[in-house]
């Protein structure tokens, strides 16, 4: 990869310096294989993104991480450093450093930034959750704290964030109790359902230029549109927010899939994207990865167990990407880490162990998933795939 880049740079320099001399290599159109994902996606005005692990980005012994993050992607998301526990570990004391570094990395590489995340029940600082639990922070005070947090964070990054995940994972899952989908977790418990509209309004006031997203998982396809259909629930919620004039601009579908589950096709996924865009909302895939169970055979390197997993993973990436390409309001396709060397999956899904979820293996070799994403970007076009329609923030 680095050799490719070096040759590319040399050709550009030569072509610039010696315009009189015919340089065949400079005139030849680069093959699909030689192009980056971001270059191929640009033709559709689609942003291709990745979550960034700041430790990996800084690791001097891991230069490929940095090089691929910069060259293959046109948008980045902070995997952790914009979460509340990272930004405000001590009450009133903000630690902007790592998040600012990511924003700066993006600026230097011509990338846009997805801000992740303003309101979520996970990765909250202990001072906040403990204060609420022991009663030193009242629910009325909690609402002020949330408003102040959103305002401080959005203002700090004002003008530098393309899309904010304002509210993340607010909806329950069908396996929760009760199984009918409802608002779950810390914020709904303490502030009631109104916190969602409040959060969007506070974020809009702090940066009128950023697109404001609701973001969730397991909303790739509709089910029976009944009370346990999470996708339908989120769709209905978004419709109500829009109808009440709440400044929501988009819905992010995380896209954490697994090859052990039944899969969707691009038409099922497209139906959901079209439903959201029918509400006047943009969409995005925000955290795509497709994990597999690491059976004893996989771990022992048995191709009969590994190959079907890599193929199924690639196919799922393709389904989400094709559906996104086909909807002109689907603005970005972000993967949650691009290499199995730095993926949240093995640490998070350990019983049974899971892995193999990303586009590159642990040695940065592109997997089938990478090439299927690349082929989808390269071989799509009119009449069914047209450039994105930019979304303007609602007033
Ligand atoms: C994950 C990170 O990848 C991990 O490093 C961290 O330990 C836990 O959070 N949905 C989200 C993301 O919205 O913020 C989560 O990220 C993955 C699930």
């Amino acid at each position: 990869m680095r050799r490719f880049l070096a040759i590319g740079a040399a050709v550009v320099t030569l072509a610039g310096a010696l315009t009189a001399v015919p340089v065949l290599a400079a005139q030849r159109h680069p093959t699909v294989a030689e192009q980056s994902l971001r270059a191929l996606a640009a033709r559709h005005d689609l942003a291709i993104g990745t979550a960034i692990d700041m430790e990996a980005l800084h690791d001097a012994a891991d230069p490929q991480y940095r090089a691929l993050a910069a060259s293959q992607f046109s948008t980045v998301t902070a995997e952790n450093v914009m979460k509340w526990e990272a930004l405000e570990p001590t009450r009133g004391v903000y630690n902007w450093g790592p998040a600012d570094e990511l924003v700066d990395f993006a600026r230097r590489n011509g990338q846009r930034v997805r801000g992740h995340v303003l309101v979520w029940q996970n990765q909250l600082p202990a001072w906040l959750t403990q204060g609420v639990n022991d009663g030193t922070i009242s629910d009325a005070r909690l609402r002020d704290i949330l408003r102040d947090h959103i305002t401080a964070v959005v203002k700090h990054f004002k003008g530098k964030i393309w899309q904010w995940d304002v509210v993340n994972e607010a909806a329950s899952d069908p396996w929760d109790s009760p199984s009918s989908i409802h608002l779950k977790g810390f914020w709904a418990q303490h502030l009631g359902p109104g916190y969602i509209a409040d959060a969007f309004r506070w974020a809009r006031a702090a940066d009128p230029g950023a697109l404001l997203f609701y973001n969730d998982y397991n909303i790739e396809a509709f089910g029976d549109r009944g009370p346990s259909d999470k996708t339908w629930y989120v769709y209905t919620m978004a419709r109500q927010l829009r109808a009440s004039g709440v400044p929501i601009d988009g819905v992010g579908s995380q896209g954490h899939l697994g090859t052990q589950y039944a899969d969707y096709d691009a038409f099922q996924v497209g139906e959901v994207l079209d439903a959201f865009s029918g509400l006047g909302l943009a969409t995005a895939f925000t955290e795509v990865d497709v994990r597999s169970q690491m059976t004893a055979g996989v771990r022992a390197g048995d191709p009969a167990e590994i190959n079907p997993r890599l193929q199924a993973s690639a196919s799922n990436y393709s389904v989400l990407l094709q559906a996104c390409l086909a909807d002109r309001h689907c603005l970005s396709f972000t993967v949650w880490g691009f290499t199995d060397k730095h993926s949240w999956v093995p640490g998070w899904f350990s019983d049974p162990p899971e892995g193999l979820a990303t586009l590159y293996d642990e040695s940065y070799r592109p997997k089938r998933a990478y090439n299927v994403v690349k082929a989808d970007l390269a071989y799509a076009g009119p009449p069914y795939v047209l450039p994105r329609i930019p979304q303007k923030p609602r007033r």
Side-chain angles (χ1 to χ4, degrees):
M1 173 48 65
R2 265 180 298 161
R3 207 173 58 222
F4 265 33
L5 291 176
I7 291 170
V11 167
V12 169
T13 318
L14 261 181
L18 310 168
T19 35
V21 181
V23 182
L24 274 179
Q27 288 165 359
R28 185 178 61 78
H29 196 69
T31 64
V32 169
E34 286 164 355
Q35 295 185 59
S36 65
L37 299 182
R38 69 183 281 180
L40 292 166
R43 195 161 52 91
H44 312 291
D45 289 338
L46 176 71
I48 285 280
T50 183
I52 296 290
D53 170 345
M54 292 309 287
E55 269 171 45
L57 197 70
H58 283 140
D59 185 351
D62 196 355
Q64 276 167 297
Y65 185 89
R66 218 182 157 80
L68 290 174
S71 62
Q72 293 289 325
F73 301 97
S74 49
T75 177
V76 291
T77 307
E79 183 169 1
N80 286 301
V81 297
M82 288 190 193
K83 292 172 180 174
W84 199 326
E85 68 173 7
L87 287 181
E88 199 185 1
T90 308
R91 190 169 183 174
V93 183
Y94 279 89
N95 175 28
W96 303 112
D100 285 346
E101 282 167 32
L102 178 64
V103 171
D104 194 52
F105 176 83
R107 188 187 50 75
R108 278 182 280 119
N109 293 297
Q111 296 166 317
R112 292 196 270 194
V113 181
R114 294 198 80 262
H116 179 81
V117 51
L118 297 174
V119 194
W120 189 29
Q121 58 272 20
N122 288 357
Q123 293 180 272
L124 291 170
W127 63 261
L128 180 66
T129 49
Q130 275 167 20
V132 169
N133 286 342
D134 67 21
T136 53
I137 297 177
S138 69
D139 287 351
R141 182 76 192 107
L142 182 64
R143 187 168 181 274
D144 294 342
I145 290 173
L146 180 62
R147 186 197 57 222
D148 293 349
H149 176 79
I150 291 175
T151 305
V153 172
V154 175
K155 278 201 168 149
H156 178 83
F157 297 108
K158 187 174 178 189
K160 297 174 179 168
I161 302 290
W162 178 32
Q163 307 173 6
W164 264 115
D165 287 334
V166 178
V167 177
N168 193 35
E169 303 183 352
S172 67
D173 294 291
W175 57 81
D176 291 330
S177 179
S179 66
S180 55
I181 311 299
H182 53 276
L183 294 179
K184 69 174 181 193
F186 183 81
W187 297 105
Q189 276 158 27
H190 293 283
L191 302 183
Y195 85 89
I196 295 183
D198 288 342
F200 280 96
R201 292 199 176 102
W202 293 328
R204 173 62 86 238
D207 183 355
L211 293 174
L212 305 182
F213 276 68
Y214 176 78
N215 193 51
D216 216 329
Y217 60 89
N218 284 3
I219 58 166
E220 293 82 16
F222 288 122
D224 64 3
R225 291 168 161 81
S228 297
D229 182 346
K230 183 172 179 177
T231 309
W232 183 249
Y233 180 91
V234 170
Y235 169 74
T236 308
M237 181 176 81
R239 192 173 61 193
Q240 282 162 0
L241 291 171
R242 287 279 294 114
S244 336
V246 173
I248 177 175
D249 303 303
V251 172
S253 181
Q254 293 183 1
H256 293 295
L257 301 179
T259 62
Q260 67 270 44
Y261 305 116
D263 58 358
Y264 304 120
D265 61 54
F267 306 109
Q268 291 172 294
V269 176
E271 192 183 5
V272 176
L273 301 182
D274 290 346
F276 284 122
S277 52
L279 299 175
L281 296 169
T283 55
F285 283 103
T286 55
E287 307 185 10
V288 180
D289 55 11
V290 189
R291 60 190 191 271
S292 287
Q293 293 190 348
M294 304 293 281
T295 60
V298 169
R299 280 178 277 142
D302 178 0
E305 297 221 9
I306 293 173
N307 286 333
R309 287 174 169 78
L310 296 180
Q311 291 169 26
S313 182
S315 164
N316 279 281
Y317 272 95
S318 178
V319 162
L320 299 186
L321 179 56
Q322 289 186 349
C324 181
L325 282 167
D327 189 310
R328 304 187 71 188
H329 300 278
C330 183
L331 304 180
S332 56
F333 184 92
T334 292
V335 297
W336 206 243
F338 58 88
T339 165
D340 290 339
K341 187 174 182 186
H342 301 288
S343 163
W344 74 307
V345 167
W348 205 264
F349 302 92
S350 50
D351 185 21
E354 297 183 46
L356 301 179
T358 72
L359 300 176
Y360 292 84
D361 73 9
E362 295 188 3
S363 310
Y364 295 103
R365 282 183 298 248
K367 292 154 64 176
R368 283 169 185 73
Y370 173 85
N371 282 312
V372 92
V373 162
K374 185 169 238 183
D376 284 343
L377 292 170
Y379 305 138
Y384 298 119
V385 174
L386 299 168
R388 310 301 86 190
I389 297 170
Q391 184 83 0
K392 290 201 186 70
R394 263 169 220 293
R395 300 290 128 184

